[in-house]
Amino acid sequence: MGGLRSLWWRRAAEHHNAQQTRMWAEYQSRGYGEQQTTMQRPRPRRRTEPQDPIAGVVVFSFIVGTLVSLTLEPTTCPYGAKQLLASREPWQAANNTTPPRWADLNATIQNGFTRCGKYANDTDLFVDDSNEGAGTTYGYSRDDVEALVERAQAVVEKGNYGSKNDAYFLEALTGHVANGSSVLVVGSAEPWHEAVCLALGASRVTTVDYGSREYEHPQLDQVNASFWNQLGDANLNYDVVVSASSLDHDGLGRYGDPIAPDGDLLTMRLLLRALAPGAKVILSVPVGPDRIIWNLMRIYGKDRLARLIDGYDVVERICYDSTKLDEAPENVLRTYEPVFVLSVPDQICMQEEFWCHDPSVFGLSITSLLKGLVVALMVVSVARFVQAGYYRVAGAELVINAIALVTAPDFWGPALGLLCALMHSYYITYTSRPRVVDFGRAPRLR
C-alpha cells in the first residue's frame, strides 16, 4: 500500500511540475518579468514587431478599400442604386443637327441609361423627330381645336375609345378630369388629349413640350422646355397633370430634348415638388422587362416603374397586369401601356431614399452616425490588434467591416460592422490581459 501511495504522489508531482512549466512559459513569453523559482524555465521566444504598425494598418486599409471599390462597381458607373444622374446635355451644335447615336455617347452616359448594365439595350431603332435639331412646330387654329373638341365629346358619349391604349387613357381622363379643372399636358404632338379635357369641362389646358405649339384658342396655351427651370416647391397651380406615353421619350434626344439618362425620373420629381397636395398625375408608359431602345423609348419593368412613381400615392391602376413586368413582347413596337392615376401626398416620402425613414440627431441621420462610429471603432480595434501582434485578426477585421459597410443595406451594414467592431474590441481586451499565475510550492517528492 505504501508503494502505491508513493507512486501516486510521484506521478502527481510530475504532472504538477509539467503544468507549472507550461504556465511559466506562457507567462515569460508575454514579458511580465522574472520570478525566482526552483523550476527550470525555458528560454522565452523573441517577438518581432514592425517598426511602425500604424502606418502598416493605414497602407493595408487603403489597399483593401481600393480592391473592394474596383471589384464591386465599374469606374464609369455614374451613380449608386438610390441616386439620379441630374445632368441634361443639349446635343445641338453647328456641326451636329441629328440626335446622337448610341456609339456617340460616352461610357458614363451609356451606363446611366442602362443603369450600369441592369437594363437591356437595343440600338436598332434610331429615330429623328427633331427637325434637324431646330425642333418641331405645329399650329392649330380655333376651328381646328373646336373640331377636335366635338370629336372628343362624341367619343366620350359613345364610349368608343379606339385602341386599347387609348381606351385605358381616356377612361382615366373621364374619371378624374372634373368640370372646371386646370390641366397640364406633358408632351403632345396633336392637341387630342387637350381636346378631351376641354370636352370634359376643363377650364384651362396648358401644354409643355420641347417643340413649339401655336394654339389659337382661348382655353389652350403652350410653354417650352424652359418651363421646368421655373418650378419650385408647390408653385404649380394645376389640378391634373396628363402624360400619355411621353415621359418614356424624355432625355433620349429624339424630339430635340437634351440627353438625360434620368430625364423621366427628374421630371416626375419636379412635378412632385411643384404640385399642391391632392393634385393628380395621369400617366401611361410602356410596361415590360426593363429596357432602353435607343433612341425610340424606354420600357418600364420592376425597377424603373417603381422609381418612376416613387413618392406618389397610387389612386388607381387601369388595366394593369403585374405579370407583364416579366413578359417580353414579341414586337417592341406593340407596347402594353396601362394607366396610373397618382396623387401628390401631404408629406412626400421617397421609398427609394432611406433618409425619409431614418430619424436624425443634431441634423445627422442615425445611419451616418453609425457609419462614423463603426469606422472609428474599427481603426482603434485594428490598431490594438496590430500592437498586440494579432496581424491576421486585424486583416480579417478590416475585410469583414469593409464588406459589411459596402454590400449590406443602409442600416444593417453599419449595425453589422458595429457589432463586429465591438466583439473584436471585447476579444482584444480580455485576451490580452496577463494571466495571474500562482507558482505555489510543489508537492514534496518521497
Side-chain angles (χ1 to χ4, degrees), residues 58-101:
V58 172
V59 172
F60 184 77
S61 303
F62 176 77
I63 294 174
V64 171
T66 302
L67 292 177
V68 170
S69 300
L70 293 176
T71 303
L72 292 178
E73 190 172 82
T75 56
T76 55
C77 189
Y79 47 65
K82 296 183 179 180
Q83 297 174 334
L84 295 179
L85 193 61
S87 63
R88 291 182 182 268
E89 300 180 4
W91 54 265
Q92 295 87 344
N95 58 348
N96 190 13
T97 58
T98 59
R101 302 273 180 169

mmCIF file of all heavy atoms in Angstrom, residues 58-101:
data_model
loop_
_atom_site.group_PDB
_atom_site.id
_atom_site.type_symbol
_atom_site.label_atom_id
_atom_site.label_comp_id
_atom_site.label_asym_id
_atom_site.label_seq_id
_atom_site.Cartn_x
_atom_site.Cartn_y
_atom_site.Cartn_z
ATOM 1 N N VAL A 58 -2.640 51.575 -42.027
ATOM 2 C CA VAL A 58 -3.176 52.549 -42.982
ATOM 3 C C VAL A 58 -2.967 52.084 -44.412
ATOM 4 O O VAL A 58 -3.865 52.135 -45.254
ATOM 5 C CB VAL A 58 -2.532 53.931 -42.748
ATOM 6 C CG1 VAL A 58 -2.934 54.900 -43.849
ATOM 7 C CG2 VAL A 58 -2.927 54.482 -41.388
ATOM 8 N N VAL A 59 -1.763 51.602 -44.711
ATOM 9 C CA VAL A 59 -1.472 51.138 -46.066
ATOM 10 C C VAL A 59 -2.339 49.933 -46.420
ATOM 11 O O VAL A 59 -2.914 49.848 -47.514
ATOM 12 C CB VAL A 59 0.025 50.788 -46.187
ATOM 13 C CG1 VAL A 59 0.313 50.121 -47.535
ATOM 14 C CG2 VAL A 59 0.868 52.036 -46.036
ATOM 15 N N PHE A 60 -2.480 48.996 -45.484
ATOM 16 C CA PHE A 60 -3.300 47.815 -45.744
ATOM 17 C C PHE A 60 -4.759 48.194 -45.955
ATOM 18 O O PHE A 60 -5.434 47.655 -46.838
ATOM 19 C CB PHE A 60 -3.157 46.834 -44.577
ATOM 20 C CG PHE A 60 -3.885 45.539 -44.784
ATOM 21 C CD1 PHE A 60 -3.372 44.563 -45.624
ATOM 22 C CD2 PHE A 60 -5.091 45.306 -44.161
ATOM 23 C CE1 PHE A 60 -4.041 43.372 -45.825
ATOM 24 C CE2 PHE A 60 -5.776 44.114 -44.350
ATOM 25 C CZ PHE A 60 -5.239 43.145 -45.187
ATOM 26 N N SER A 61 -5.266 49.135 -45.144
ATOM 27 C CA SER A 61 -6.656 49.587 -45.300
ATOM 28 C C SER A 61 -6.872 50.219 -46.666
ATOM 29 O O SER A 61 -7.896 50.000 -47.321
ATOM 30 C CB SER A 61 -7.013 50.577 -44.195
ATOM 31 O OG SER A 61 -6.826 50.009 -42.930
ATOM 32 N N PHE A 62 -5.907 51.029 -47.112
ATOM 33 C CA PHE A 62 -6.029 51.671 -48.424
ATOM 34 C C PHE A 62 -6.057 50.633 -49.534
ATOM 35 O O PHE A 62 -6.862 50.713 -50.472
ATOM 36 C CB PHE A 62 -4.864 52.636 -48.628
ATOM 37 C CG PHE A 62 -4.842 53.284 -49.989
ATOM 38 C CD1 PHE A 62 -5.703 54.321 -50.284
ATOM 39 C CD2 PHE A 62 -3.963 52.852 -50.963
ATOM 40 C CE1 PHE A 62 -5.694 54.914 -51.531
ATOM 41 C CE2 PHE A 62 -3.941 53.437 -52.209
ATOM 42 C CZ PHE A 62 -4.818 54.470 -52.494
ATOM 43 N N ILE A 63 -5.215 49.622 -49.431
ATOM 44 C CA ILE A 63 -5.173 48.577 -50.461
ATOM 45 C C ILE A 63 -6.486 47.805 -50.502
ATOM 46 O O ILE A 63 -7.064 47.570 -51.569
ATOM 47 C CB ILE A 63 -3.992 47.633 -50.215
ATOM 48 C CG1 ILE A 63 -2.666 48.385 -50.402
ATOM 49 C CG2 ILE A 63 -4.053 46.432 -51.145
ATOM 50 C CD1 ILE A 63 -1.447 47.573 -50.031
ATOM 51 N N VAL A 64 -6.992 47.413 -49.305
ATOM 52 C CA VAL A 64 -8.247 46.668 -49.255
ATOM 53 C C VAL A 64 -9.402 47.500 -49.803
ATOM 54 O O VAL A 64 -10.232 47.019 -50.580
ATOM 55 C CB VAL A 64 -8.538 46.211 -47.813
ATOM 56 C CG1 VAL A 64 -9.941 45.631 -47.707
ATOM 57 C CG2 VAL A 64 -7.523 45.179 -47.373
ATOM 58 N N GLY A 65 -9.489 48.776 -49.405
ATOM 59 C CA GLY A 65 -10.568 49.639 -49.892
ATOM 60 C C GLY A 65 -10.526 49.820 -51.395
ATOM 61 O O GLY A 65 -11.560 49.803 -52.075
ATOM 62 N N THR A 66 -9.326 49.977 -51.946
ATOM 63 C CA THR A 66 -9.196 50.139 -53.402
ATOM 64 C C THR A 66 -9.628 48.884 -54.139
ATOM 65 O O THR A 66 -10.365 48.940 -55.132
ATOM 66 C CB THR A 66 -7.741 50.476 -53.758
ATOM 67 O OG1 THR A 66 -7.354 51.664 -53.063
ATOM 68 C CG2 THR A 66 -7.602 50.703 -55.251
ATOM 69 N N LEU A 67 -9.195 47.712 -53.648
ATOM 70 C CA LEU A 67 -9.576 46.462 -54.298
ATOM 71 C C LEU A 67 -11.079 46.227 -54.230
ATOM 72 O O LEU A 67 -11.699 45.802 -55.210
ATOM 73 C CB LEU A 67 -8.839 45.294 -53.642
ATOM 74 C CG LEU A 67 -7.327 45.249 -53.871
ATOM 75 C CD1 LEU A 67 -6.706 44.095 -53.109
ATOM 76 C CD2 LEU A 67 -7.002 45.142 -55.353
ATOM 77 N N VAL A 68 -11.693 46.528 -53.085
ATOM 78 C CA VAL A 68 -13.139 46.352 -52.950
ATOM 79 C C VAL A 68 -13.878 47.276 -53.901
ATOM 80 O O VAL A 68 -14.839 46.897 -54.576
ATOM 81 C CB VAL A 68 -13.576 46.592 -51.492
ATOM 82 C CG1 VAL A 68 -15.095 46.664 -51.401
ATOM 83 C CG2 VAL A 68 -13.063 45.480 -50.608
ATOM 84 N N SER A 69 -13.444 48.542 -54.003
ATOM 85 C CA SER A 69 -14.113 49.503 -54.886
ATOM 86 C C SER A 69 -14.008 49.086 -56.337
ATOM 87 O O SER A 69 -14.972 49.163 -57.098
ATOM 88 C CB SER A 69 -13.506 50.899 -54.690
ATOM 89 O OG SER A 69 -13.654 51.323 -53.353
ATOM 90 N N LEU A 70 -12.829 48.629 -56.747
ATOM 91 C CA LEU A 70 -12.652 48.224 -58.138
ATOM 92 C C LEU A 70 -13.420 46.953 -58.458
ATOM 93 O O LEU A 70 -13.861 46.754 -59.584
ATOM 94 C CB LEU A 70 -11.165 48.016 -58.425
ATOM 95 C CG LEU A 70 -10.286 49.258 -58.378
ATOM 96 C CD1 LEU A 70 -8.832 48.884 -58.578
ATOM 97 C CD2 LEU A 70 -10.711 50.280 -59.425
ATOM 98 N N THR A 71 -13.615 46.087 -57.471
ATOM 99 C CA THR A 71 -14.302 44.823 -57.711
ATOM 100 C C THR A 71 -15.805 44.984 -57.781
ATOM 101 O O THR A 71 -16.477 44.387 -58.623
ATOM 102 C CB THR A 71 -13.952 43.818 -56.598
ATOM 103 O OG1 THR A 71 -12.541 43.661 -56.564
ATOM 104 C CG2 THR A 71 -14.606 42.467 -56.858
ATOM 105 N N LEU A 72 -16.382 45.862 -56.942
ATOM 106 C CA LEU A 72 -17.831 45.942 -56.836
ATOM 107 C C LEU A 72 -18.476 46.717 -57.966
ATOM 108 O O LEU A 72 -19.573 46.416 -58.381
ATOM 109 C CB LEU A 72 -18.212 46.589 -55.500
ATOM 110 C CG LEU A 72 -17.894 45.764 -54.251
ATOM 111 C CD1 LEU A 72 -18.277 46.545 -53.015
ATOM 112 C CD2 LEU A 72 -18.652 44.443 -54.283
ATOM 113 N N GLU A 73 -17.828 47.751 -58.495
ATOM 114 C CA GLU A 73 -18.530 48.624 -59.422
ATOM 115 C C GLU A 73 -17.569 49.200 -60.452
ATOM 116 O O GLU A 73 -16.460 49.617 -60.119
ATOM 117 C CB GLU A 73 -19.170 49.775 -58.635
ATOM 118 C CG GLU A 73 -20.119 50.622 -59.447
ATOM 119 C CD GLU A 73 -20.857 51.615 -58.556
ATOM 120 O OE1 GLU A 73 -20.286 52.669 -58.259
ATOM 121 O OE2 GLU A 73 -21.985 51.325 -58.170
ATOM 122 N N PRO A 74 -17.945 49.245 -61.723
ATOM 123 C CA PRO A 74 -17.065 49.850 -62.720
ATOM 124 C C PRO A 74 -16.861 51.332 -62.431
ATOM 125 O O PRO A 74 -17.729 51.998 -61.881
ATOM 126 C CB PRO A 74 -17.844 49.646 -64.045
ATOM 127 C CG PRO A 74 -18.855 48.598 -63.748
ATOM 128 C CD PRO A 74 -19.174 48.706 -62.304
ATOM 129 N N THR A 75 -15.703 51.841 -62.828
ATOM 130 C CA THR A 75 -15.409 53.242 -62.558
ATOM 131 C C THR A 75 -16.267 54.184 -63.399
ATOM 132 O O THR A 75 -16.386 55.352 -63.078
ATOM 133 C CB THR A 75 -13.928 53.525 -62.838
ATOM 134 O OG1 THR A 75 -13.624 53.131 -64.195
ATOM 135 C CG2 THR A 75 -13.040 52.726 -61.902
ATOM 136 N N THR A 76 -16.878 53.703 -64.483
ATOM 137 C CA THR A 76 -17.722 54.560 -65.316
ATOM 138 C C THR A 76 -19.168 54.591 -64.863
ATOM 139 O O THR A 76 -19.990 55.254 -65.474
ATOM 140 C CB THR A 76 -17.667 54.089 -66.783
ATOM 141 O OG1 THR A 76 -18.036 52.702 -66.833
ATOM 142 C CG2 THR A 76 -16.276 54.250 -67.352
ATOM 143 N N CYS A 77 -19.519 53.851 -63.803
ATOM 144 C CA CYS A 77 -20.898 53.868 -63.307
ATOM 145 C C CYS A 77 -21.154 55.200 -62.616
ATOM 146 O O CYS A 77 -20.464 55.533 -61.657
ATOM 147 C CB CYS A 77 -21.139 52.710 -62.345
ATOM 148 S SG CYS A 77 -22.873 52.523 -61.904
ATOM 149 N N PRO A 78 -22.117 55.998 -63.085
ATOM 150 C CA PRO A 78 -22.245 57.375 -62.600
ATOM 151 C C PRO A 78 -22.940 57.503 -61.267
ATOM 152 O O PRO A 78 -22.923 58.553 -60.676
ATOM 153 C CB PRO A 78 -23.059 58.061 -63.708
ATOM 154 C CG PRO A 78 -23.895 56.957 -64.275
ATOM 155 C CD PRO A 78 -23.042 55.705 -64.183
ATOM 156 N N TYR A 79 -23.592 56.485 -60.774
ATOM 157 C CA TYR A 79 -24.352 56.643 -59.535
ATOM 158 C C TYR A 79 -24.587 55.297 -58.890
ATOM 159 O O TYR A 79 -24.377 54.251 -59.472
ATOM 160 C CB TYR A 79 -25.699 57.313 -59.782
ATOM 161 C CG TYR A 79 -26.480 56.755 -60.937
ATOM 162 C CD1 TYR A 79 -26.957 55.457 -60.933
ATOM 163 C CD2 TYR A 79 -26.719 57.533 -62.066
ATOM 164 C CE1 TYR A 79 -27.661 54.951 -61.994
ATOM 165 C CE2 TYR A 79 -27.422 57.030 -63.138
ATOM 166 C CZ TYR A 79 -27.885 55.733 -63.092
ATOM 167 O OH TYR A 79 -28.589 55.228 -64.152
ATOM 168 N N GLY A 80 -25.055 55.353 -57.653
ATOM 169 C CA GLY A 80 -25.432 54.153 -56.938
ATOM 170 C C GLY A 80 -26.883 53.820 -57.188
ATOM 171 O O GLY A 80 -27.581 54.450 -57.987
ATOM 172 N N ALA A 81 -27.393 52.860 -56.468
ATOM 173 C CA ALA A 81 -28.753 52.370 -56.694
ATOM 174 C C ALA A 81 -29.816 53.393 -56.342
ATOM 175 O O ALA A 81 -30.930 53.331 -56.838
ATOM 176 C CB ALA A 81 -28.977 51.098 -55.889
ATOM 177 N N LYS A 82 -29.480 54.334 -55.485
ATOM 178 C CA LYS A 82 -30.504 55.247 -54.994
ATOM 179 C C LYS A 82 -30.268 56.678 -55.458
ATOM 180 O O LYS A 82 -30.839 57.618 -54.931
ATOM 181 C CB LYS A 82 -30.551 55.204 -53.471
ATOM 182 C CG LYS A 82 -30.971 53.837 -52.937
ATOM 183 C CD LYS A 82 -31.089 53.832 -51.444
ATOM 184 C CE LYS A 82 -31.540 52.469 -50.969
ATOM 185 N NZ LYS A 82 -31.664 52.405 -49.506
ATOM 186 N N GLN A 83 -29.422 56.880 -56.419
ATOM 187 C CA GLN A 83 -29.119 58.221 -56.891
ATOM 188 C C GLN A 83 -29.668 58.431 -58.297
ATOM 189 O O GLN A 83 -29.947 57.487 -59.025
ATOM 190 C CB GLN A 83 -27.606 58.454 -56.874
ATOM 191 C CG GLN A 83 -27.005 58.383 -55.474
ATOM 192 C CD GLN A 83 -25.499 58.471 -55.503
ATOM 193 O OE1 GLN A 83 -24.873 58.117 -56.497
ATOM 194 N NE2 GLN A 83 -24.907 58.938 -54.422
ATOM 195 N N LEU A 84 -29.787 59.713 -58.662
ATOM 196 C CA LEU A 84 -30.201 60.094 -60.002
ATOM 197 C C LEU A 84 -29.069 60.838 -60.685
ATOM 198 O O LEU A 84 -28.292 61.544 -60.033
ATOM 199 C CB LEU A 84 -31.436 61.003 -59.954
ATOM 200 C CG LEU A 84 -32.730 60.385 -59.418
ATOM 201 C CD1 LEU A 84 -33.836 61.434 -59.431
ATOM 202 C CD2 LEU A 84 -33.138 59.190 -60.232
ATOM 203 N N LEU A 85 -28.967 60.659 -61.989
ATOM 204 C CA LEU A 85 -27.999 61.407 -62.781
ATOM 205 C C LEU A 85 -28.708 62.670 -63.259
ATOM 206 O O LEU A 85 -29.552 62.627 -64.150
ATOM 207 C CB LEU A 85 -27.514 60.568 -63.962
ATOM 208 C CG LEU A 85 -26.285 61.079 -64.693
ATOM 209 C CD1 LEU A 85 -25.099 61.133 -63.740
ATOM 210 C CD2 LEU A 85 -25.951 60.175 -65.858
ATOM 211 N N ALA A 86 -28.390 63.807 -62.644
ATOM 212 C CA ALA A 86 -29.175 65.027 -62.825
ATOM 213 C C ALA A 86 -28.807 65.830 -64.072
ATOM 214 O O ALA A 86 -29.425 66.864 -64.325
ATOM 215 C CB ALA A 86 -29.020 65.923 -61.589
ATOM 216 N N SER A 87 -27.832 65.388 -64.853
ATOM 217 C CA SER A 87 -27.383 66.197 -65.991
ATOM 218 C C SER A 87 -28.366 66.103 -67.153
ATOM 219 O O SER A 87 -28.985 65.078 -67.401
ATOM 220 C CB SER A 87 -26.001 65.729 -66.453
ATOM 221 O OG SER A 87 -26.066 64.397 -66.917
ATOM 222 N N ARG A 88 -28.538 67.217 -67.842
ATOM 223 C CA ARG A 88 -29.266 67.290 -69.112
ATOM 224 C C ARG A 88 -28.352 67.988 -70.103
ATOM 225 O O ARG A 88 -28.092 69.185 -69.969
ATOM 226 C CB ARG A 88 -30.581 68.066 -68.955
ATOM 227 C CG ARG A 88 -31.643 67.346 -68.113
ATOM 228 C CD ARG A 88 -32.918 68.166 -68.053
ATOM 229 N NE ARG A 88 -33.957 67.571 -67.245
ATOM 230 C CZ ARG A 88 -34.911 66.769 -67.694
ATOM 231 N NH1 ARG A 88 -34.944 66.458 -68.981
ATOM 232 N NH2 ARG A 88 -35.827 66.282 -66.885
ATOM 233 N N GLU A 89 -27.877 67.267 -71.098
ATOM 234 C CA GLU A 89 -26.855 67.781 -72.012
ATOM 235 C C GLU A 89 -27.441 68.017 -73.400
ATOM 236 O O GLU A 89 -27.778 67.053 -74.107
ATOM 237 C CB GLU A 89 -25.685 66.800 -72.100
ATOM 238 C CG GLU A 89 -24.997 66.543 -70.764
ATOM 239 C CD GLU A 89 -23.845 65.575 -70.891
ATOM 240 O OE1 GLU A 89 -23.547 65.160 -72.044
ATOM 241 O OE2 GLU A 89 -23.238 65.235 -69.861
ATOM 242 N N PRO A 90 -27.567 69.293 -73.828
ATOM 243 C CA PRO A 90 -28.025 69.565 -75.208
ATOM 244 C C PRO A 90 -27.030 68.994 -76.218
ATOM 245 O O PRO A 90 -25.820 69.049 -76.030
ATOM 246 C CB PRO A 90 -28.067 71.099 -75.261
ATOM 247 C CG PRO A 90 -28.128 71.534 -73.835
ATOM 248 C CD PRO A 90 -27.360 70.523 -73.056
ATOM 249 N N TRP A 91 -27.566 68.451 -77.286
ATOM 250 C CA TRP A 91 -26.702 67.851 -78.296
ATOM 251 C C TRP A 91 -26.609 68.690 -79.566
ATOM 252 O O TRP A 91 -25.766 68.412 -80.439
ATOM 253 C CB TRP A 91 -27.213 66.449 -78.655
ATOM 254 C CG TRP A 91 -28.671 66.401 -79.069
ATOM 255 C CD1 TRP A 91 -29.729 66.119 -78.274
ATOM 256 C CD2 TRP A 91 -29.202 66.659 -80.375
ATOM 257 N NE1 TRP A 91 -30.900 66.169 -78.984
ATOM 258 C CE2 TRP A 91 -30.612 66.499 -80.295
ATOM 259 C CE3 TRP A 91 -28.649 67.002 -81.610
ATOM 260 C CZ2 TRP A 91 -31.446 66.688 -81.390
ATOM 261 C CZ3 TRP A 91 -29.480 67.178 -82.703
ATOM 262 C CH2 TRP A 91 -30.861 67.024 -82.582
ATOM 263 N N GLN A 92 -27.447 69.721 -79.679
ATOM 264 C CA GLN A 92 -27.427 70.529 -80.893
ATOM 265 C C GLN A 92 -26.143 71.362 -80.965
ATOM 266 O O GLN A 92 -25.702 71.942 -79.973
ATOM 267 C CB GLN A 92 -28.642 71.469 -80.950
ATOM 268 C CG GLN A 92 -29.968 70.751 -81.060
ATOM 269 C CD GLN A 92 -30.562 70.371 -79.724
ATOM 270 O OE1 GLN A 92 -29.870 70.379 -78.727
ATOM 271 N NE2 GLN A 92 -31.843 70.046 -79.710
ATOM 272 N N ALA A 93 -25.547 71.381 -82.121
ATOM 273 C CA ALA A 93 -24.352 72.184 -82.368
ATOM 274 C C ALA A 93 -24.325 72.552 -83.846
ATOM 275 O O ALA A 93 -25.133 72.075 -84.648
ATOM 276 C CB ALA A 93 -23.086 71.415 -81.975
ATOM 277 N N ALA A 94 -23.372 73.442 -84.213
ATOM 278 C CA ALA A 94 -23.295 73.907 -85.596
ATOM 279 C C ALA A 94 -23.022 72.755 -86.560
ATOM 280 O O ALA A 94 -23.527 72.740 -87.675
ATOM 281 C CB ALA A 94 -22.200 74.971 -85.713
ATOM 282 N N ASN A 95 -22.247 71.809 -86.127
ATOM 283 C CA ASN A 95 -21.908 70.668 -87.000
ATOM 284 C C ASN A 95 -22.663 69.404 -86.608
ATOM 285 O O ASN A 95 -22.295 68.307 -87.012
ATOM 286 C CB ASN A 95 -20.401 70.404 -86.965
ATOM 287 C CG ASN A 95 -19.910 70.131 -85.551
ATOM 288 O OD1 ASN A 95 -20.640 70.348 -84.582
ATOM 289 N ND2 ASN A 95 -18.669 69.681 -85.450
ATOM 290 N N ASN A 96 -23.693 69.532 -85.814
ATOM 291 C CA ASN A 96 -24.439 68.360 -85.349
ATOM 292 C C ASN A 96 -25.922 68.703 -85.335
ATOM 293 O O ASN A 96 -26.392 69.416 -84.458
ATOM 294 C CB ASN A 96 -23.967 67.954 -83.951
ATOM 295 C CG ASN A 96 -24.540 66.620 -83.526
ATOM 296 O OD1 ASN A 96 -25.086 65.883 -84.344
ATOM 297 N ND2 ASN A 96 -24.448 66.318 -82.249
ATOM 298 N N THR A 97 -26.645 68.211 -86.319
ATOM 299 C CA THR A 97 -28.074 68.529 -86.453
ATOM 300 C C THR A 97 -28.964 67.307 -86.291
ATOM 301 O O THR A 97 -30.158 67.387 -86.546
ATOM 302 C CB THR A 97 -28.342 69.168 -87.830
ATOM 303 O OG1 THR A 97 -27.929 68.269 -88.858
ATOM 304 C CG2 THR A 97 -27.593 70.488 -87.973
ATOM 305 N N THR A 98 -28.408 66.191 -85.860
ATOM 306 C CA THR A 98 -29.209 64.994 -85.611
ATOM 307 C C THR A 98 -28.883 64.474 -84.225
ATOM 308 O O THR A 98 -27.776 64.673 -83.717
ATOM 309 C CB THR A 98 -28.920 63.887 -86.648
ATOM 310 O OG1 THR A 98 -27.528 63.552 -86.596
ATOM 311 C CG2 THR A 98 -29.276 64.361 -88.051
ATOM 312 N N PRO A 99 -29.825 63.819 -83.576
ATOM 313 C CA PRO A 99 -29.550 63.270 -82.243
ATOM 314 C C PRO A 99 -28.382 62.292 -82.285
ATOM 315 O O PRO A 99 -28.114 61.661 -83.305
ATOM 316 C CB PRO A 99 -30.856 62.561 -81.876
ATOM 317 C CG PRO A 99 -31.896 63.168 -82.752
ATOM 318 C CD PRO A 99 -31.210 63.551 -84.017
ATOM 319 N N PRO A 100 -27.666 62.156 -81.206
ATOM 320 C CA PRO A 100 -26.500 61.257 -81.206
ATOM 321 C C PRO A 100 -26.910 59.793 -81.295
ATOM 322 O O PRO A 100 -27.948 59.380 -80.774
ATOM 323 C CB PRO A 100 -25.824 61.566 -79.860
ATOM 324 C CG PRO A 100 -26.923 62.093 -78.994
ATOM 325 C CD PRO A 100 -27.833 62.836 -79.908
ATOM 326 N N ARG A 101 -26.084 59.036 -81.964
ATOM 327 C CA ARG A 101 -26.243 57.585 -81.957
ATOM 328 C C ARG A 101 -25.728 57.030 -80.631
ATOM 329 O O ARG A 101 -25.040 57.704 -79.876
ATOM 330 C CB ARG A 101 -25.462 56.981 -83.122
ATOM 331 C CG ARG A 101 -25.883 57.501 -84.489
ATOM 332 C CD ARG A 101 -27.024 56.703 -85.035
ATOM 333 N NE ARG A 101 -27.450 57.187 -86.354
ATOM 334 C CZ ARG A 101 -28.284 56.539 -87.139
ATOM 335 N NH1 ARG A 101 -28.783 55.371 -86.748
ATOM 336 N NH2 ARG A 101 -28.643 57.039 -88.311
#
